[in-house]
mmCIF file of all heavy atoms in Angstrom:
data_model
loop_
_atom_site.group_PDB
_atom_site.id
_atom_site.type_symbol
_atom_site.label_atom_id
_atom_site.label_comp_id
_atom_site.label_asym_id
_atom_site.label_seq_id
_atom_site.Cartn_x
_atom_site.Cartn_y
_atom_site.Cartn_z
ATOM 1 N N LEU A 95 168.202 194.574 41.265
ATOM 2 C CA LEU A 95 168.927 193.293 40.987
ATOM 3 C C LEU A 95 167.937 192.376 40.340
ATOM 4 O O LEU A 95 168.380 191.571 39.346
ATOM 5 C CB LEU A 95 169.367 192.850 42.250
ATOM 6 C CG LEU A 95 170.663 193.512 42.874
ATOM 7 C CD1 LEU A 95 170.830 193.160 44.242
ATOM 8 C CD2 LEU A 95 171.896 193.236 42.096
ATOM 9 N N HIS A 96 166.711 192.303 40.620
ATOM 10 C CA HIS A 96 165.843 191.431 40.036
ATOM 11 C C HIS A 96 165.680 191.681 38.511
ATOM 12 O O HIS A 96 165.550 190.741 37.712
ATOM 13 C CB HIS A 96 164.466 191.390 40.733
ATOM 14 C CG HIS A 96 164.379 190.518 41.948
ATOM 15 N ND1 HIS A 96 163.718 189.304 42.118
ATOM 16 C CD2 HIS A 96 164.834 190.788 43.280
ATOM 17 C CE1 HIS A 96 163.953 188.763 43.333
ATOM 18 N NE2 HIS A 96 164.540 189.642 44.092
ATOM 19 N N ARG A 97 165.479 192.914 38.279
ATOM 20 C CA ARG A 97 165.344 193.335 36.849
ATOM 21 C C ARG A 97 166.603 192.927 36.095
ATOM 22 O O ARG A 97 166.621 192.461 34.955
ATOM 23 C CB ARG A 97 165.121 194.877 36.765
ATOM 24 C CG ARG A 97 164.752 195.166 35.357
ATOM 25 C CD ARG A 97 164.139 196.477 35.208
ATOM 26 N NE ARG A 97 163.607 196.653 33.827
ATOM 27 C CZ ARG A 97 163.726 197.811 33.098
ATOM 28 N NH1 ARG A 97 164.108 198.898 33.756
ATOM 29 N NH2 ARG A 97 163.341 197.902 31.889
ATOM 30 N N LEU A 98 167.729 193.170 36.660
ATOM 31 C CA LEU A 98 169.030 192.784 35.855
ATOM 32 C C LEU A 98 169.031 191.226 35.636
ATOM 33 O O LEU A 98 169.433 190.799 34.488
ATOM 34 C CB LEU A 98 170.208 193.170 36.845
ATOM 35 C CG LEU A 98 170.540 194.658 36.852
ATOM 36 C CD1 LEU A 98 171.566 194.894 37.905
ATOM 37 C CD2 LEU A 98 171.157 195.197 35.486
ATOM 38 N N VAL A 99 168.683 190.509 36.666
ATOM 39 C CA VAL A 99 168.717 189.088 36.593
ATOM 40 C C VAL A 99 167.745 188.601 35.529
ATOM 41 O O VAL A 99 167.995 187.751 34.705
ATOM 42 C CB VAL A 99 168.506 188.362 37.825
ATOM 43 C CG1 VAL A 99 168.282 186.888 37.662
ATOM 44 C CG2 VAL A 99 169.679 188.634 38.876
ATOM 45 N N ARG A 100 166.460 189.202 35.475
ATOM 46 C CA ARG A 100 165.480 188.676 34.622
ATOM 47 C C ARG A 100 165.770 189.047 33.134
ATOM 48 O O ARG A 100 165.500 188.299 32.295
ATOM 49 C CB ARG A 100 164.039 189.396 34.986
ATOM 50 C CG ARG A 100 163.435 188.883 36.165
ATOM 51 C CD ARG A 100 161.936 189.249 36.190
ATOM 52 N NE ARG A 100 161.730 190.678 36.304
ATOM 53 C CZ ARG A 100 161.661 191.389 37.399
ATOM 54 N NH1 ARG A 100 161.725 190.743 38.664
ATOM 55 N NH2 ARG A 100 161.564 192.703 37.350
ATOM 56 N N SER A 101 166.520 190.149 32.988
ATOM 57 C CA SER A 101 166.848 190.560 31.573
ATOM 58 C C SER A 101 168.164 189.886 31.219
ATOM 59 O O SER A 101 168.682 190.147 30.105
ATOM 60 C CB SER A 101 167.060 192.140 31.554
ATOM 61 O OG SER A 101 168.135 192.599 32.467
ATOM 62 N N GLY A 102 168.910 189.206 32.000
ATOM 63 C CA GLY A 102 170.101 188.440 31.549
ATOM 64 C C GLY A 102 171.255 189.492 31.632
ATOM 65 O O GLY A 102 172.217 189.322 30.869
ATOM 66 N N THR A 103 171.146 190.519 32.348
ATOM 67 C CA THR A 103 172.236 191.643 32.259
ATOM 68 C C THR A 103 173.073 191.521 33.629
ATOM 69 O O THR A 103 172.659 191.721 34.748
ATOM 70 C CB THR A 103 171.497 193.048 32.237
ATOM 71 O OG1 THR A 103 170.636 193.043 31.210
ATOM 72 C CG2 THR A 103 172.652 194.069 31.994
ATOM 73 N N ALA A 104 174.397 191.299 33.408
ATOM 74 C CA ALA A 104 175.216 191.243 34.504
ATOM 75 C C ALA A 104 175.714 192.697 34.980
ATOM 76 O O ALA A 104 175.466 193.580 34.244
ATOM 77 C CB ALA A 104 176.461 190.406 34.243
ATOM 78 N N LEU A 105 176.093 192.814 36.251
ATOM 79 C CA LEU A 105 176.482 194.033 36.803
ATOM 80 C C LEU A 105 177.928 193.781 37.453
ATOM 81 O O LEU A 105 178.177 192.822 38.102
ATOM 82 C CB LEU A 105 175.619 194.521 37.857
ATOM 83 C CG LEU A 105 175.926 195.792 38.708
ATOM 84 C CD1 LEU A 105 176.105 196.933 37.746
ATOM 85 C CD2 LEU A 105 174.979 196.043 39.760
ATOM 86 N N TYR A 106 178.943 194.731 37.077
ATOM 87 C CA TYR A 106 180.194 194.666 37.527
ATOM 88 C C TYR A 106 180.648 196.042 38.075
ATOM 89 O O TYR A 106 180.235 197.050 37.391
ATOM 90 C CB TYR A 106 181.197 194.210 36.487
ATOM 91 C CG TYR A 106 182.543 193.958 36.974
ATOM 92 C CD1 TYR A 106 183.109 192.736 37.469
ATOM 93 C CD2 TYR A 106 183.511 195.074 36.938
ATOM 94 C CE1 TYR A 106 184.400 192.739 37.970
ATOM 95 C CE2 TYR A 106 184.782 195.021 37.281
ATOM 96 C CZ TYR A 106 185.205 193.763 37.874
ATOM 97 O OH TYR A 106 186.577 193.775 38.249
ATOM 98 N N THR A 107 181.438 196.059 39.265
ATOM 99 C CA THR A 107 181.838 197.278 39.707
ATOM 100 C C THR A 107 183.264 197.451 39.806
ATOM 101 O O THR A 107 184.100 196.507 40.360
ATOM 102 C CB THR A 107 181.271 197.514 41.245
ATOM 103 O OG1 THR A 107 179.872 197.519 41.197
ATOM 104 C CG2 THR A 107 181.772 198.783 41.847
ATOM 105 N N ALA A 108 183.823 198.476 39.469
ATOM 106 C CA ALA A 108 185.269 198.798 39.552
ATOM 107 C C ALA A 108 185.402 200.157 40.218
ATOM 108 O O ALA A 108 185.072 201.339 39.530
ATOM 109 C CB ALA A 108 185.977 198.875 38.188
ATOM 110 N N HIS A 109 185.568 200.372 41.535
ATOM 111 C CA HIS A 109 185.607 201.545 42.259
ATOM 112 C C HIS A 109 186.842 202.119 42.607
ATOM 113 O O HIS A 109 187.609 202.615 41.809
ATOM 114 C CB HIS A 109 184.695 201.308 43.488
ATOM 115 C CG HIS A 109 184.294 202.607 44.287
ATOM 116 N ND1 HIS A 109 183.857 202.589 45.538
ATOM 117 C CD2 HIS A 109 184.064 203.801 43.691
ATOM 118 C CE1 HIS A 109 183.619 203.801 45.929
ATOM 119 N NE2 HIS A 109 183.636 204.607 44.713
ATOM 120 N N THR A 110 187.362 201.917 43.861
ATOM 121 C CA THR A 110 188.713 202.487 44.327
ATOM 122 C C THR A 110 189.809 201.814 43.469
ATOM 123 O O THR A 110 190.845 202.296 43.457
ATOM 124 C CB THR A 110 188.828 202.362 45.812
ATOM 125 O OG1 THR A 110 188.640 200.983 46.182
ATOM 126 C CG2 THR A 110 187.996 203.351 46.474
ATOM 127 N N ASN A 111 189.586 200.575 42.942
ATOM 128 C CA ASN A 111 190.694 199.940 42.385
ATOM 129 C C ASN A 111 190.844 200.543 40.820
ATOM 130 O O ASN A 111 191.799 200.380 40.309
ATOM 131 C CB ASN A 111 190.441 198.399 42.127
ATOM 132 C CG ASN A 111 189.017 198.102 41.584
ATOM 133 O OD1 ASN A 111 187.994 198.854 41.854
ATOM 134 N ND2 ASN A 111 188.876 197.035 40.770
ATOM 135 N N ALA A 112 189.737 201.194 40.327
ATOM 136 C CA ALA A 112 189.834 201.957 39.210
ATOM 137 C C ALA A 112 190.301 203.343 39.390
ATOM 138 O O ALA A 112 190.811 203.960 38.419
ATOM 139 C CB ALA A 112 188.499 202.006 38.382
#
Side-chain angles (χ1 to χ4, degrees):
L95 285 169
H96 277 258
R97 187 166 188 214
L98 287 168
V99 171
R100 284 196 302 268
S101 64
T103 308
L105 176 63
Y106 181 89
T107 298
H109 191 209
T110 53
N111 53 325

